[in-house]
Structure formats: C-alpha cells, structure tokens
Amino acid sequence: MALSSQTGYALGGDSPSRGTSGGTGLGDPVFPILGNTGYRVTAYLLDFTYHADTKLVDAKATITLRTTERLADFTLDLLGPEVDAVWVGNRKAEYEQQPEKLLVTPMTALPAGARTTVRVHYRADPRKLSFPYNGWVPTDDGFATAPQPDLARTVFPCNDHPSDKADFTIRVTAPDGLTGVATGSLVATNKNGDGTTTRTYCSKHPVATELVQVSVGEYKVVDRAGPNGLPLRDVVPVARAEALEPALSLTPAQMSWAEQRLGSFPFETYGILPANTDAANAFDFTGLETQTLTIYKPNYLLQKESAIGSHMMHELVHSWFGNLVSPATWADLWLNEGHADYYGLLYRYERGWPDSLGLTSMEARMKDVYSRGDQWRRDAGPVAAPTAANLFHSQRYTGGVLVLYALWSLVGEEVFRRIERTFLDRYRHASASTKDYIAIATEASGQDLSGFLNEWLYGTKTPRMPGHPDWAVTPPVATARRAPQVAKDAASATLCCSPHA
C-alpha cells in the first residue's frame, strides 16, 4: 500500500484498471481530511442497541452511496468505535481501522455511478473518548449525541461533512423503562419480547451528519401544538419534567416569532432534549441544534425567561440557518452562527432584556462589537476565514451579526428580508457557501453587493459602517498566545453550539 504524503493514511494501489481510493478528504478549508470524494451518500440506516448493565452500544450502520468514480477501495470517517465486520453489497469486505478513517476494500472494484450499500457492524463505548473529542454524551441512564462539528464519526461511520446531506432512518433498542429517541419522526415501536423495545425514527428531509441526534434515557415525551398545527415534541428526563415545563412551554410563541421573519418551519417537528446529566464536562456548550431535537443542559433551562429566551431563539433559528441550509464548508460557519445570534439578539431587545454587557438595543451592541472589529480580525481572522483553532471564536457569532447589521443598514429592512428569504428558498435542504449568500444578496437587492460583502467578510480591516460614520474601531494590540476565545451566545454569554468551544 502507498501512503499519502499529505495525510499519512494508507491508500489502495490506484491504477486505471483497478480503480482509485477516492480522495481521503474533501479538502474542507478547516477540516481537510473529512469525507471522501469518491462517493456521495444518499441514505443511512443506523441501528443502536444500548446495554444498561455495561453502558455499551452495539451498532450497525447501513450506508447507501453512489460512486463518483471507479473505486478499488474507499474510506469512511470513523474514530473510536471498534469494527467487527463490513459488507459491500451482500459480500463481506476487507477493512482496516486507521487513526481517523475506516478503509474498506470490496471484493471487486465499484464502477463509477454505481449505487451500493455498505454495512458496518461495530461496538462503541460512549465513555471511551475524552471530552471534547467525543460526539457521545454519556449520562447515568444512557447517552445522547453532540456531533458538531466533526464528531459524528465518533458515533457512526459516515461521510462526515455538511455538504453531503442524506436521509436517515434510526432504530434505537433499549431496555424497557428507558426510551430511545432520535432525529425525525417516530414511525414504529416494537416490543421485542426480551425486555427491550425498539423505536424507529425517519427523517422527512435530508440531514447533515453533524446534526444527527440519538439518545437513550429515562425520558417522557411531551407533545404540544405549535403554530399552524406543527407537532412539537420535547424529550424530558422524567424526574425533571415538572421543573423544566416553564422553559419548554416557551417554544410555540418563539416559533411564531421566527416564522414571521424566516417563513414556515422547514421540518416535520421540533423539540428540546434536556440531556439527563449535570456533569460539568458532559459537553461544553449550552444548546446544540441537532435537527428536530435541540439538546440542552437541563439546569440551564431552569432559569427565568429573560435569561434563556434569546438563547432558545438562537438554537431555534438554526433550524433555518444551519439545518435547512447547511454550510458548504466549515469556513461558512458564520452563516449559521451569525444569523442565529442576529435573530436571537433581535428577540432579546424587542423584549427589553439587557444582554450580557447590559445593553438593550441592537445599535448599542453593534457599536460595541464594531469597536472590537480590528482586534478580532487580528486574533481570529476575517469573519469568513476561520481555522480549526479559532472556528468558534466570537468573530463567527457576533462578528457575523455585525456583517448582517452592516448589510441591513445599507439596504434597509425590506430588501434585507428579501435577501434572507431568497437564500433560504434557493438552498433549502441543501448546502450553501458564503459566495452563494453574496450572489443572492446581489440578486435580491438589485445592486452589486459583492465588493461590500467581500470587504466585510474577508477584509483584514473593519470597513466603515453604513449610516454610522462616527463609529470608531479600537486599534488592535498584540496578544499573547492563548487558548482560542470561546464563542458565546451574544445574548446570554453562555457557551454555544460547539463541543470544541
């Protein structure tokens, strides 16, 4: 076997007759080794069986893919689980577990354009990998998942990149007395006759791997009606249900507010999963927008509405920016986080809730963020040019809000809303890049905004703010090397959205 000089991963011996290995990464500017160029995934069927006595998980992943080139072998992203067997089609395949990849060699090469299934049997210990490099969230009564940005591969073998969204069917088997839940809608419940129950969930729309939720615990499912009859379901630890109800009951009104600005909710259901753990290192964020079921730390939701409402809006808005339209690459993260913070702040200020700085208006907050602009660009790069080390810096969050505020200031509310709606409609259930957003802004506004937005998103200096010639940027100062600044929800100043934060 040859070794890739860039990655060090073993590759199959490429030859025109035998086929290639596909690329060992999609070349993402932040996480270049994620994914494989040799195929696209159309569907995942995941089976998880949780054993309460050992707290281990037996799992099967059946991946339906279509090749983009002739493949002698190929890789799946996988880190942590122990593989027992692999099949390609109905034939057993050779495999090798590499540091962050599973190399699969089928009995015969796969032709370009072929549709096939890959089935992987494996075992996982949710406690095996150390935080923050573990997409599993261990709890006393089971587990949940937090796969963002690149940790779905610790939960199941996959093409772990948001540009390759797919349909998901997830079966969760757990002892009676525990409840298994997942992304999507419950379509079947089967008593197995051995003291376990299997529940099957299907996603109606494509899901990015980083947005998959699977959880087992002592839960009760609380159903309620959302706007226009949208079914809402919260998955709540039984012992905490009464205490958490005041927070969970806020969702219908929040949903109505978001729909007025962004259009109808784009998925079949929505709800909140307060994972049943108070461990400080269970996950290093407050909420994470796993599709149709946002995971939270339960104690956070016990606070009064003014302390949590803006953050809840932030996570809800991710259903549009991040889930409906996913980032084409991780360099496009500001599209997710900037928009989520933008609407979260609007929601806060409309209600007169002071933010973490004691400010009560978007203008006041943006003036403060503007003053920090050159410092943030020095410390964490331009808004749309992150690295893995500073991906979740505040530059992607309130720095992203500042870009949107500048755009709004330039074009006005009516045109700004047209840009937002056009972008969401054009790329719904797909992925989009910063370049795509700039093109939509130009199209929907009727004026060339490429220079304006490129300067705001990629410039090394903070541009002048339209309508505010008096706003000043504080000159940057040299800073000592330190851990990357943790991105925070602009409204609540609590850790947001990333296990890498």
Side-chain angles (χ1 to χ4, degrees):
M1 288 188 175
L3 283 179
S4 163
S5 61
Q6 288 188 317
T7 67
Y9 295 129
L11 305 178
D14 293 358
S15 70
S17 60
R18 188 164 180 271
T20 74
S21 300
T24 56
L26 292 170
D28 185 276
V30 179
F31 300 115
I33 69 167
L34 292 181
N36 187 296
T37 61
Y39 59 87
R40 299 285 287 183
V41 177
T42 58
Y44 293 88
L45 169 60
L46 305 179
D47 283 274
F48 297 93
T49 298
Y50 176 69
H51 302 284
D53 53 346
T54 62
K55 299 186 181 298
L56 301 179
V57 177
D58 288 329
K60 302 173 187 176
T62 303
I63 304 164
T64 302
L65 57 84
R66 184 173 294 278
T67 59
T68 58
E69 57 192 85
R70 183 176 175 83
L71 295 176
D73 50 44
F74 56 91
T75 58
L76 296 165
D77 294 316
L78 188 66
L79 171 65
E82 297 180 13
V83 174
D84 293 322
V86 178
W87 287 260
V88 176
N90 295 320
R91 304 176 71 181
K92 211 159 188 178
E94 295 182 359
Y95 67 91
E96 178 186 343
Q97 286 197 253
Q98 299 174 342
E100 298 182 60
K101 298 280 186 176
L102 176 66
L103 176 66
V104 177
T105 305
M107 294 289 289
T108 57
L110 302 177
R115 180 180 180 275
T116 191
T117 58
V118 180
R119 182 159 48 99
V120 182
H121 290 203
Y122 63 100
R123 292 163 288 129
D125 181 350
R127 303 158 298 176
K128 178 179 179 180
L129 295 176
S130 298
F131 171 84
Y133 302 106
N134 189 6
W136 300 90
V137 177
T139 64
D140 289 342
D141 54 357
F143 65 87
T145 59
Q148 194 186 94
D150 60 337
L151 299 175
R153 59 196 172 129
T154 69
V155 179
F156 58 96
C158 55
N159 208 36
D160 197 6
H161 196 269
S163 65
D164 196 11
K165 300 168 80 164
D167 295 328
F168 275 81
T169 300
I170 302 173
R171 293 196 287 245
V172 190
T173 300
D176 295 342
L178 300 179
T179 300
V181 296
T183 292
S185 296
L186 179 66
V187 296
T189 301
N190 298 303
K191 293 282 188 179
N192 298 320
D194 60 356
T196 67
T197 299
T198 300
R199 293 173 174 85
T200 304
Y201 297 82
C202 287
S203 61
K204 186 177 180 180
H205 305 287
V207 185
T209 52
E210 50 117 357
L211 301 174
V212 171
Q213 181 55 253
V214 186
S215 187
V216 170
E218 295 177 3
Y219 294 130
K220 65 178 293 187
V221 177
V222 179
D223 295 312
R224 68 185 88 232
N228 303 309
L230 176 73
L232 303 178
R233 56 116 188 213
D234 297 314
V235 178
V236 194
V238 172
R240 303 173 188 249
E242 183 176 353
L244 289 167
E245 179 57 21
L248 303 180
S249 66
L250 298 173
T251 299
Q254 293 169 350
M255 183 75 74
S256 294
W257 188 93
E259 287 193 330
Q260 289 171 13
R261 288 151 183 82
L262 301 174
S264 298
F265 186 74
F267 300 107
E268 60 269 37
T269 186
Y270 181 75
I272 291 173
L273 166 67
N276 199 16
T277 178
D278 295 314
N281 65 345
F283 46 89
D284 200 8
F285 55 88
T286 294
L288 181 69
E289 66 279 8
T290 42
Q291 193 160 309
T292 71
L293 192 59
T294 293
I295 182 175
Y296 274 95
K297 287 184 175 177
N299 283 345
Y300 175 79
L301 296 172
L302 298 179
Q303 302 175 84
K304 59 184 180 180
E305 181 183 2
S306 60
I308 62 175
S310 180
H311 188 101
M312 293 178 71
M313 181 57 66
H314 173 111
E315 301 303 343
L316 175 57
V317 167
H318 274 311
S319 295
W320 287 267
F321 290 97
N323 298 13
L324 173 63
V325 181
S326 298
T329 74
W330 283 107
D332 303 307
L333 180 73
W334 80 273
L335 286 168
N336 300 13
E337 304 303 345
H339 278 98
D341 258 8
Y342 180 86
Y343 291 101
L345 283 171
L346 285 179
Y347 188 75
R348 170 180 288 282
Y349 298 138
E350 281 188 12
R351 281 148 187 77
W353 300 334
D355 62 24
S356 58
L357 301 180
L359 304 174
T360 56
S361 72
M362 181 69 87
E363 182 175 328
R365 183 56 179 263
M366 289 301 98
K367 184 177 181 180
D368 177 83
V369 175
Y370 185 85
S371 71
R372 306 167 191 262
D374 282 3
Q375 187 69 58
W376 285 4
R377 287 170 191 263
R378 176 172 181 153
D379 293 346
V383 174
T387 66
N390 61 38
L391 179 62
F392 292 98
H393 187 281
S394 294
Q395 180 74 308
R396 267 33 94 189
Y397 290 72
T398 41
V401 178
L402 189 67
V403 174
L404 296 173
Y405 183 80
L407 178 60
W408 173 85
S409 298
L410 180 70
V411 303
E413 177 69 18
E414 181 180 351
V415 174
F416 180 78
R417 285 204 181 190
R418 188 187 312 146
I419 292 169
E420 299 284 88
R421 291 288 191 98
T422 303
F423 178 74
L424 293 171
D425 289 343
R426 183 74 53 82
Y427 294 102
R428 62 188 299 108
H429 303 303
S431 300
S433 67
T434 299
K435 181 179 178 181
D436 294 326
Y437 185 82
I438 294 171
I440 291 293
T442 291
E443 173 189 326
S445 68
Q447 55 182 304
D448 186 356
L449 295 175
S450 57
F452 177 83
L453 285 171
N454 273 301
E455 187 178 13
W456 274 96
L457 289 162
Y458 296 106
T460 57
K461 296 290 184 181
T462 305
R464 291 185 177 275
M465 176 60 69
H468 295 283
D470 57 316
W471 284 13
V473 180
T474 301
V477 298
T479 53
R481 290 183 62 86
R482 58 183 179 179
Q485 180 178 348
V486 170
K488 300 188 179 214
D489 176 3
S492 64
T494 50
L495 298 179
C496 173
C497 293
S498 172
H500 281 235

